[in-house]
Amino acid sequence: MAEINDRKLYLGPKLRVLRRELGLNQTRMAEGLGVSPSYLNHLERNQRPLTAQMLLRLANTYDIDIRDFTATPAEGGPGELGEILSDALVRDIGIARDEVLEVAENYPGVSEAIARFYRALTDLRRLPGDAAAADRAPAPLVAPLDWLRETIARSGNHFAEIDAGAESLASELPDDPALLQTALRARLKDRHGMAVQLVRAEILAGTLRHYDMHRRRLMLSERLAASGRLFAIAYQLCAQELAEAIAAQIARAAPPDEDSRRLAQIALTNYAAAALIMPYDRFRQAAEQSRYDLPLLRDRFGVSAEQIAHRLTSLNRTGARGIPFFMAKIDRAGIVAKRFDGEAWPFARYGGICPRWDATDAPADGSIAAQLIETLEGRRFVTLAVALPRGRARGRSMVALGCEAKHAGRIVHADGLDVERGEATGVGPTCPLCERRDCPDRALPPVTRALDLHSYERTAAPFPFRRV
């Protein structure tokens, strides 16, 4: 609370959104908080700062988490809005940064609406040929994957009801991963009449797991590692025993189409399986006690590095939070195949990653590569990258976790980094949006600046550009 007392907080738009979500008018909320309606109106219009005492009243009256309420929004914030408004379609308008900041901070609903329109526009641009072809079904307004990512981001990648159900189920099962797999098989057989069978790879013809509904048999490929087999069995059990909690969460999310609903079903069942194998309290305590030792956690819970990374991004339970990690799965070309933004994703949301981020250079032996990076705004982050095992059917890929440098003392892999005074690698959002002038690794010029080229000189950094 000392940090909150040291600065003025103008959170009017967030307060207004909270009131509307609660279905209250200003008079009723003012009564609940013990203030006058005119004072609440001043707070919502950012004419008065939100005091620490008022934050405590909000937390106690409406059961909100102060850190969530005061955190910078992950979606529709200044970075994302600035990225959208740098698109070639509107770039010539030259919208000033202070205007972008004002809209993003004071009108978050407008920012989110613009972001949704832009995602729809991006999807339309991907369509080959004539989008109005008679033999093509109308495209959804929001691509299912984008809808799912937005839904997960709004929830902070934490689904309390599913987590609680999985934790309750895990309390009836052994902790040891080898014993857990046996117990899961037995529970599927005894309670649901489902058998688990390991089969040769050629039988499944490129599929890693398949559920035969007629014979009630879960078939697992011999190519699946032990962690993959454990996860597949947990997935099947959660699909049976946590079906109500998963369905309730999907209903609240209100998928816009059938593809989005199916994606949500798979994603939330995956979430439930991870929560069953790595129950919230036991996993969070192990993470804190080991100082987020990734290999140790991987071995203790019998999971893969990617599964560990996923679970670490979901430790967002009120009153028992872990480090707010962001995560990305990246191929060798730097293309992001999967992303969870956490509280502070420092890169662009609609492009690739910065080539100066060394996540793609993680050692092939599976060891953890730690890096200290710094954004153009001077914010520092610790990132941890690990190479994933290379399968026969896929190329090399990496998974990377990251968080603000202030959390470094809680992470054993960051012990060699001087996060306060040490040299950090300067990174940007993505080359077309980055205005770092001296970057030798720039692949493209910034779309926000005019080039400054001369035949009589060649600068060390490619694509020199004007400052204004």
Side-chain angles (χ1 to χ4, degrees):
M1 188 60 67
E3 182 182 345
I4 293 175
N5 282 323
D6 290 342
R7 57 190 172 96
K8 292 184 178 181
L9 295 174
Y10 291 92
L11 300 171
K14 283 192 173 185
L15 184 59
R16 185 165 57 248
V17 169
L18 174 65
R19 177 173 60 79
R20 290 173 178 171
E21 288 178 347
L22 294 170
L24 302 176
N25 57 31
Q26 285 189 338
T27 301
R28 287 187 61 193
M29 176 172 265
E31 290 175 355
L33 296 173
V35 298
S36 67
S38 62
Y39 180 69
L40 181 61
N41 183 264
H42 284 311
L43 291 176
E44 288 192 1
R45 294 168 62 187
N46 275 347
Q47 294 178 345
R48 296 278 184 87
L50 204 62
T51 63
Q53 291 78 10
M54 185 57 65
L55 276 174
L56 288 173
R57 288 190 196 181
L58 282 167
N60 293 331
T61 305
Y62 301 114
D63 191 28
I64 64 170
D65 187 277
I66 291 178
R67 291 201 303 177
D68 281 347
F69 195 73
T70 58
T72 301
E75 295 289 335
E80 182 179 11
L81 188 59
E83 184 180 341
I84 291 170
L85 296 178
S86 68
D87 188 90
L89 190 65
V90 295
R91 190 188 312 153
D92 62 305
I93 300 175
I95 301 172
R97 180 169 175 77
D98 58 348
E99 293 183 45
V100 176
L101 288 172
E102 182 176 352
V103 172
E105 293 176 358
N106 294 325
Y107 306 100
V110 173
S111 298
E112 184 176 349
I114 292 172
R116 290 187 185 184
F117 278 125
Y118 186 73
R119 282 192 287 271
L121 174 62
T122 303
D123 294 335
L124 288 173
R125 286 170 170 172
R126 295 189 192 124
L127 291 177
D130 183 7
D135 59 346
R136 182 179 300 151
L141 292 179
V142 180
L145 281 173
D146 288 336
W147 173 85
L148 181 64
R149 177 176 289 172
E150 181 183 345
T151 300
I152 291 173
R154 281 202 304 266
S155 71
N157 195 24
H158 178 72
F159 303 94
E161 186 177 345
I162 297 175
D163 243 312
E167 199 165 27
S168 176
L169 179 56
S171 67
E172 304 174 19
L173 299 166
D175 294 345
D176 183 274
L179 298 177
L180 176 59
Q181 184 174 145
T182 302
L184 291 174
R185 285 172 175 257
R187 192 174 180 111
L188 272 175
K189 182 67 174 177
D190 297 342
R191 300 199 179 194
H192 307 286
M194 296 180 181
V196 179
Q197 181 180 356
L198 190 67
V199 300
R200 295 193 306 274
E202 59 267 22
I203 293 177
L204 291 182
T207 301
L208 295 177
R209 68 172 172 86
H210 174 76
Y211 178 62
D212 184 341
M213 291 184 288
H214 297 291
R215 296 181 176 86
R216 300 185 67 79
R217 180 178 58 172
L218 175 63
M219 295 185 290
L220 305 179
S221 170
E222 62 184 348
R223 293 197 186 281
L224 266 180
S227 60
R229 297 174 191 177
L230 176 62
F231 195 89
I233 300 169
Y235 179 99
Q236 197 68 34
L237 183 63
C238 289
Q240 302 299 315
E241 301 205 10
L242 297 179
E244 289 187 11
I246 293 170
Q249 183 61 55
I250 293 173
R252 285 192 290 270
D257 52 62
E258 180 60 20
D259 284 346
S260 298
R261 189 198 66 77
R262 291 180 181 178
L263 271 177
Q265 179 81 32
I266 294 170
L268 292 177
T269 309
N270 279 332
Y271 182 97
L276 174 58
I277 298 170
M278 296 170 276
Y280 194 98
D281 276 338
R282 183 158 63 88
F283 181 75
R284 185 186 65 84
Q285 289 171 14
E288 291 286 352
Q289 290 167 4
S290 69
R291 298 181 61 220
Y292 292 83
D293 187 324
L294 302 185
L296 184 149
L297 293 172
R298 180 193 62 204
D299 295 339
R300 180 175 298 181
F301 290 89
V303 292
S304 68
E306 185 175 354
Q307 290 164 357
I308 282 286
H310 273 265
R311 188 58 170 148
L312 286 173
T313 65
S314 69
L315 300 183
N316 202 23
R317 178 180 286 176
T318 300
R321 299 176 187 274
I323 292 176
F325 283 109
F326 61 80
M327 172 207 159
K329 184 178 180 182
I330 313 162
D331 67 16
R332 294 189 67 180
I335 297 173
V336 179
K338 189 183 299 180
R339 187 189 82 216
F340 293 102
D341 290 356
E343 290 185 1
W345 174 257
F347 304 107
R349 287 185 169 84
Y350 299 103
I353 61 170
C354 177
R356 307 198 73 199
W357 188 28
D358 292 338
T360 56
D361 294 330
D365 61 3
S367 58
I368 310 300
Q371 185 183 13
L372 181 64
I373 62 175
E374 184 173 289
T375 66
L376 289 164
E377 297 79 19
R379 299 178 66 191
R380 291 192 160 202
F381 298 85
V382 170
T383 66
L384 312 172
V386 58
L388 300 178
R390 181 171 180 169
R392 295 190 181 185
R394 69 180 187 188
R396 186 166 178 259
S397 58
M398 283 64 61
V399 64
L401 287 164
C403 64
E404 291 188 84
K406 65 183 180 182
H407 301 293
R410 297 164 63 186
I411 305 172
V412 66
H413 304 294
D415 281 350
L417 302 176
D418 183 353
V419 298
E420 295 292 336
R421 296 175 296 276
E423 184 176 355
T425 302
V427 300
T430 188
C431 287
L433 299 172
C434 180
E435 297 183 0
R436 192 181 295 277
R437 295 180 62 83
D438 58 350
C439 177
D441 300 309
R442 178 180 291 282
L444 293 167
V447 299
T448 54
R449 291 286 184 265
L451 289 175
D452 190 19
L453 301 174
H454 302 283
S455 60
Y456 55 81
E457 69 176 7
R458 179 172 183 252
T459 57
F463 306 111
F465 54 90
R466 298 174 187 172
R467 293 185 182 275
V468 293

